[in-house]
Each structure stands twice: as structure tokens, then as C-alpha cells.
């Protein structure tokens, strides 16, 4: 029994302790069995939530990628459209010559038989207003058919009664020396020395412009600007101490004036003081209008914008007298090329669908798509390429005072005209857009390196008329006259900045005019920078045909012969309208043989 006692005593505690341990296991097992399904359900819920979240993320990621791709496509399309709109082809712009880099030194400025200089060249210094020549004490006055009849001339008289003549300049001085409080005061002043026109001159546009001004703007106009303009006009007797010659037809001649003198001429034009220039029945019937009477009539928005642009100029020149010079040159060519025998090959071409002649064509010979009466309708209702250029560079308007209508072998070259205004739009959408600060450098004669050439194209009654041999020769001769500078080496001449010359209302075909200008530029020894003004199809076509000319080594003469052939074989067989075979397809087929 004793041997079994320890065993029984040792087993007893174990038996006592094993019951609560077993119970713990059972409890845990029960809890596990109860909670496990709940945990599985929770895990399943989490898994479902996780899947939903992953799906949402995937959808978001896919949508983002889709949006990114669409955005990329849109950006690419926009970039492509922008590239097309601002497309340029041909020679690099940097390869084209510009002034002043290509210019040779100028000779000393002096008057000659064909060049009238109205300032003292010995007192010409940068930053100083040029002095008129000769001095006022030696003033010379002319009243004849070869000089401008100035308002300040002692011969500018009008009859007071059948036996008495009075100085018209004295009357102008008196009328413009009064104060202005409204546009009607301006009208009354102008009509005091233009009494015969009182019944048919209208000042509606001037009245409309002034009515639309704010109070401060109106006060500035009538208290400051208009009196300053009147004083500027009345300085004519001291600024013009020698007569201004007329640039008459078939005679080469140049006139160099100071910008200060030009501003005085334009102030007199504004106040309509120039005698013998208000009727087509005078000795000046073959000259453009110069007095601004037609600018003041009508009620169109265009006239308001014209007045804004011109008054911007007058505000600038009355606040600070300009100190440069300008030269107006009439060039008449008596010897013209034989186009059918020309061996000249085509020069370089850069063509762009964006940009403007005056901005991107800086330093180049800039073409004015002119009327034979230079300036066209700038003082009337016209508002296309030429008129806009004359508005933003108002010193061009002075040429209308002394330039007779251009003939077929003539052009007008203006060197030194400053741009005073910015603009937007064209024709009816034209708007003055504020002052322009012209930073164009000056040459040795203190002229801006801005050379503008006025060449007038023919106006056609029908599309086919322009392909007639006489019309082709006339347009080639006109463009050549504008581009050539006899005696000047090709390397000293800038490129020509031009575009759709003679098209639009004149009825010219853009593709023909482009070829004619290429031919004239090549014959004159100049490169060409051509603006299509947004027409991308024209850009591609012109570039393609120019590339064909250069690759086939076509000459100006051979292309002229093809133009004659196109007229004989295609145009003459076309009854009316446009030929089925285009000029460029005809040229391509002939040159690709």
C-alpha cells in the first residue's frame, strides 16, 4: 500500500488540475468555431471591397489614360493646325538680305538737278530737328505748273469783291487762331477759307467721332491737340522756304524733306488749306486728293478708325517734333527687259502664310499694292492694303501732294517713313490698336531703313484678260520698275517683301501674280519674301512651282514663253470664266517633260 501511496498522491493533483485546462481548450475551440465564419465573412467583405477599390482604380487609371491620349491628340491636332496656319516654306529667312546689313555707304546728301533737298545738310545731326533751307530771309516762292501751290504763297489770293484781292493765307491764319470747343468750330474754321464748298462738304464723320469721345478725351482734343495742330499748320511759311517740285509723269526726280516739314504738310491737309486741290477740274486733275475733306464725310465705323489713327500721329508729332528725314523718288524706266529672251534664273523664295509685309518684312523692299493715284482711298472710304499702310505710316500721305498719277513704266519709292500706329483687321474690320514705337535704325541721311515702293496693278474686267500678252508684259514691267535699282549691285539690294499684289477687287489671279513677281525679282537681282495672308493652299502651290522652276533650271525667258503658250493653247479656247486646265498644271506638265 505504501508503495502505491506516492503514485496515488502524485496523480491526484494532476487529475485535479487537468479539468480546468481542458475546459479552456474547449472554450477556445467553441469561440474559434463561432468566430471563424464571422472572420471569413469579414474577410470576404474586405476582399470584395478590395476588388471594388481595384476596379475603381483601374477605371480611373484607364479614364485618365484615355483623357491623356485624347489630350495628346488634341494638342497634336492644335499644334498641327497652328503649324499649318503659320507655315513657311522655301529659303531660310536668314538667307535673305535686309537693310542695313546689305547696304553700301550713301554719298554725301546734296541737292542736284533731279533731287530737291529742303533742309540744311551742313546742320544735319542725329537727335536734332533739321533746319529748313534756305533761311526764312531768303525764302523763294513759286506759283506755276511745276511746283506745289502752297497755302502760304503770296500768290494764294481770293477776290473780296470784283476789284479787290485778299491773301488767303491771312484768312487761314485768322480762322485757325481761334479756340475750338466742338467739331462744329473746326468745320466753321475750315469753311471760312473754303466758302465755295460750304454747301456740299459734309463733316458727319468728324462730328460722330467727337460725339463718341469721353469728357477727358474731348477736353484733350479741343484744348490741346487741335490747337497744336493748327499752330503746326501755320508754321508752313517758316518751314518751307523754297518751292516743292511736282514729281511729274515720265521724269525721274527725288524730294528730301524733314519729318518736321512733312508733319506741317499733313496738318495743312487736315485743315484743308491747299489751294487748287478741291476739284478735278483744275491743273491738278491728274493728282490724288490731299485735303482731308472727304475723310470728314459719312458715318461709317471705318472713318472713325481712320481718324483715331491719324490723330494718334498728330498727337505724337505735336508733343515731340520728329528729327529724321524722308526721300520721295519717282522712278521712270525708259529701257525695259525683253522678257522672252531673258536668261536670268529664278532667285530665292521664302513664302509664309502668316505675318505682314511691314513687320516680318522689316529691312526689305516693302511693296505697296498701289493705286495709280498713290494712297488710293486713304482720305476717302478705301481701307485695304495700301490705305492701311498709309494710315499707320502717315508720312506716306504727303506723297499725294506732289506725285502725279503713275504710268505703266513708273513707280514711287519712299524711304524713311516711320510707323506710328498698330492696327488689327482689314477693310470693314480695321481697328486702330494703339501707338507703335518704331525702332527701325536710321541711315546716314537720318532716314529710317524702311523702303516702300508703290506699284499699281491693272484692274481686269474678266479673269482671262490678265493672260493676254500685253497685260503680262505690262505687269512684269511695272513690278520690275519697282524692284530694280539701276547701278546698284545685287549684293547691295535687300529682298522684296510682297504678297497678293493686284488681286482682290482688281481681279488678279494670285498664282499668276506670284509667278510674275518671281520673274521680275529674278530679273532685278533680288530675292523674294512672299506673304499669302493665311492662304495655305496658295503657299504650297507657289512653293511647288518655284521649286520646279529652280530644279529644272528654267529661265525667266522660258517661263514667259510658257505663259504665252498657255494663253494661246488654253485661254483663247476658253469661252468665259476660268479655264479647266490651271496655269500651274500647264506649267508643271510642260516643265516635267
Amino acid at each position: 500500500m505504501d508503495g502505491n501511496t506516492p503514485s496515488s498522491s502524485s496523480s491526484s493533483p494532476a487529475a485535479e488540475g487537468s479539468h480546468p485546462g481542458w475546459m479552456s481548450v474547449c472554450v477556445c475551440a467553441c469561440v474559434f468555431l463561432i468566430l471563424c465564419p464571422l472572420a471569413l465573412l469579414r474577410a470576404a467583405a474586405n476582399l470584395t471591397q478590395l476588388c471594388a477599390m481595384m476596379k475603381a482604380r483601374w477605371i480611373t487609371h484607364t479614364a485618365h489614360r484615355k483623357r491623356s491620349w485624347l489630350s495628346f491628340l488634341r494638342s497634336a491636332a492644335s499644334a498641327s493646325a497652328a503649324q499649318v496656319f503659320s507655315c513657311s516654306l522655301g529659303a531660310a529667312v536668314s538667307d535673305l538680305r535686309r537693310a542695313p546689313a546689305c547696304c553700301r555707304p550713301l554719298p554725301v546728301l546734296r541737292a542736284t538737278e533731279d533731287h530737291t533737298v529742303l533742309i540744311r545738310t551742313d546742320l544735319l545731326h542725329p537727335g536734332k530737328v533739321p533746319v529748313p533751307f534756305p533761311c526764312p530771309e531768303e525764302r523763294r516762292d513759286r506759283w506755276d505748273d511745276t511746283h506745289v501751290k502752297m497755302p502760304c504763297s503770296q500768290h494764294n489770293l481770293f477776290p473780296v469783291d470784283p476789284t479787290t484781292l485778299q491773301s488767303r493765307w491771312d484768312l487761314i491764319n485768322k480762322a485757325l487762331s481761334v479756340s475750338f470747343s466742338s467739331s462744329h468750330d473746326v468745320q466753321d474754321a475750315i469753311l471760312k477759307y473754303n466758302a465755295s464748298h460750304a454747301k456740299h462738304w459734309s463733316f458727319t464723320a468728324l462730328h460722330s467721332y467727337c460725339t463718341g469721345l469721353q469728357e477727358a478725351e474731348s477736353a484733350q482734343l479741343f484744348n490741346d491737340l487741335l490747337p497744336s495742330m493748327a499752330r503746326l499748320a501755320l508754321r508752313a511759311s517758316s518751314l518751307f522756304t523754297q518751292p516743292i517740285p511736282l514729281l511729274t509723269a515720265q521724269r525721274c526726280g527725288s524730294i528730301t524733306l524733314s519729318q518736321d516739314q512733312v508733319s506741317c504738310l499733313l496738318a495743312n491737309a487736315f485743315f484743308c488749306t491747299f489751294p487748287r486741290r478741291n476739284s478735278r477740274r483744275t491743273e491738278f486733275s491728274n493728282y490724288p486728293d490731299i485735303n482731308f475733306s472727304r475723310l470728314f464725310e459719312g458715318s461709317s465705323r471705318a472713318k472713325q478708325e481712320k481718324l483715331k489713327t491719324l490723330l494718334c500721329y498728330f498727337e505724337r508729332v505735336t508733343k515731340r517734333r520728329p528729327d529724321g528725314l524722308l526721300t520721295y523718288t519717282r522712278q521712270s524706266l525708259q529701257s525695259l527687259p525683253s522678257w522672252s529672251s531673258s536668261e536670268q534664273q529664278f532667285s530665292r523664295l521664302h513664302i509664309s502664310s502668316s505675318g505682314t509685309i511691314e513687320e516680318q518684312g522689316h529691312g526689305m523692299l516693302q511693296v505697296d499694292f498701289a493705286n495709280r493715284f498713290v494712297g488710293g482711298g486713304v482720305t476717302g472710304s478705301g481701307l485695304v492694303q495700301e490705305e492701311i499702310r498709309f494710315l499707320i505710316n502717315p508720312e506716306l500721305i504727303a506723297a499725294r501732294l506732289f506725285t502725279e498719277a503713275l504710268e505703266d513704266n513708273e513707280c514711287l519709292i519712299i524711304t524713311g517713313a516711320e510707323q506710328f500706329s498698330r492696327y488689327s483687321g482689314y477693310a470693314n474690320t480695321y481697328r486702330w490698336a494703339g501707338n507703335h514705337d518704331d525702332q527701325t535704325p536710321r541711315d546716314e541721311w537720318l532716314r529710317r531703313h524702311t523702303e516702300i515702293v508703290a506699284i499699281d496693278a491693272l484692274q481686269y474686267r474678266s479673269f482671262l484678260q490678265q493672260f493676254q500678252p500685253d497685260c503680262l508684259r505690262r505687269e512684269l514691267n511695272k513690278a520690275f520698275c519697282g524692284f530694280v535699282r539701276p547701278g546698284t549691285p545685287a549684293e547691295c539690294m535687300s529682298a522684296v517683301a510682297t504678297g497678293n499684289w493686284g488681286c482682290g477687287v482688281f481681279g488678279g489671279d494670285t498664282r499668276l501674280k506670284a509667278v510674275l513677281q518671281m520673274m521680275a525679282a529674278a530679273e532685278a537681282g533680288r530675292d523674294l519674301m512672299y506673304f499669302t495672308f493665311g492662304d495655305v493652299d496658295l503657299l504650297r502651290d507657289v512653293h511647288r512651282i518655284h521649286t520646279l522652276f529652280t530644279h529644272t533650271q528654267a529661265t525667266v525667258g522660258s517661263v514667259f514663253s510658257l505663259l504665252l503658250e498657255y494663253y494661246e493653247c488654253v485661254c483663247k479656247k476658253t469661252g468665259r470664266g476660268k479655264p479647266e486646265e490651271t496655269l500651274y498644271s500647264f506649267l508643271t506638265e510642260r516643265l516635267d517633260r
Side-chain angles (χ1 to χ4, degrees), residues 440-454:
T440 306
R442 298 184 187 271
D443 63 18
E444 300 97 314
W445 293 1
L446 302 187
R447 305 174 303 181
R448 298 277 181 191
H449 275 289
T450 299
E451 185 181 11
I452 299 169
V453 61

Side-chain angles (χ1 to χ4, degrees), residues 67-81:
R67 284 195 301 271
S68 297
W69 178 245
L70 288 173
S71 177
F72 170 75
L73 289 177
R74 290 193 190 101
S75 298
S78 299
S80 178

Side-chain angles (χ1 to χ4, degrees), residues 413-431:
I413 306 158
I414 305 102
T415 306
E418 183 172 340
Q419 182 177 341
F420 285 84
S421 288
R422 294 179 289 108
Y423 74 98
S424 64
Y426 190 80
N428 290 334
T429 64
Y430 171 87
R431 298 291 181 269

Side-chain angles (χ1 to χ4, degrees), residues 82-108:
Q83 185 178 10
V84 168
F85 182 76
S86 62
C87 182
S88 61
L89 297 170
V93 177
S94 57
D95 290 338
L96 304 182
R97 288 186 290 272
R98 295 183 191 262
C102 68
C103 298
R104 60 182 179 181
L106 290 171
V108 175

Side-chain angles (χ1 to χ4, degrees), residues 430-488:
Y430 171 87
R431 298 291 181 269
W432 177 70
N435 275 299
H436 176 78
D437 182 18
D438 195 334
Q439 293 296 315
T440 306
R442 298 184 187 271
D443 63 18
E444 300 97 314
W445 293 1
L446 302 187
R447 305 174 303 181
R448 298 277 181 191
H449 275 289
T450 299
E451 185 181 11
I452 299 169
V453 61
I455 51 174
D456 56 302
L458 291 175
Q459 189 165 9
Y460 302 109
R461 297 185 303 274
S462 68
F463 180 81
L464 294 173
Q465 183 186 0
Q466 62 194 298
F467 295 94
Q468 295 174 2
D470 287 348
C471 292
L472 294 174
R473 288 189 179 90
R474 191 275 181 190
E475 300 297 70
L476 282 168
N477 290 338
K478 175 63 70 168
F480 176 75
C481 179
F483 299 167
V484 74
R485 297 293 176 268
T488 302

Side-chain angles (χ1 to χ4, degrees), residues 384-416:
V384 288
Q385 194 260 8
E386 178 174 40
E387 289 86 359
I388 291 173
R389 195 64 200 270
F390 274 55
L391 287 170
I392 64 174
N393 294 64
E395 293 159 335
L396 299 174
I397 298 174
R400 294 167 63 85
L401 177 63
F402 42 73
T403 306
E404 191 172 8
L406 299 175
E407 298 192 357
D408 289 348
N409 61 331
E410 297 183 310
C411 69
L412 179 71
I413 306 158
I414 305 102
T415 306

Side-chain angles (χ1 to χ4, degrees), residues 516-561:
L516 295 177
Q517 290 185 89
M518 287 182 216
M519 295 167 67
E523 191 70 21
R526 291 185 186 261
D527 294 326
L528 206 62
M529 187 169 188
Y530 199 99
F531 297 91
T532 68
F533 309 111
D535 191 335
V536 178
D537 290 335
L538 177 63
L539 174 142
R540 290 171 179 149
D541 289 350
V542 172
H543 177 255
R544 213 174 282 129
I545 204 70
H546 178 266
T547 302
L548 183 63
F549 290 162
T550 55
H551 285 185
T552 59
Q553 297 185 327
T555 63
V556 169
S558 65
V559 172
F560 182 72
S561 298

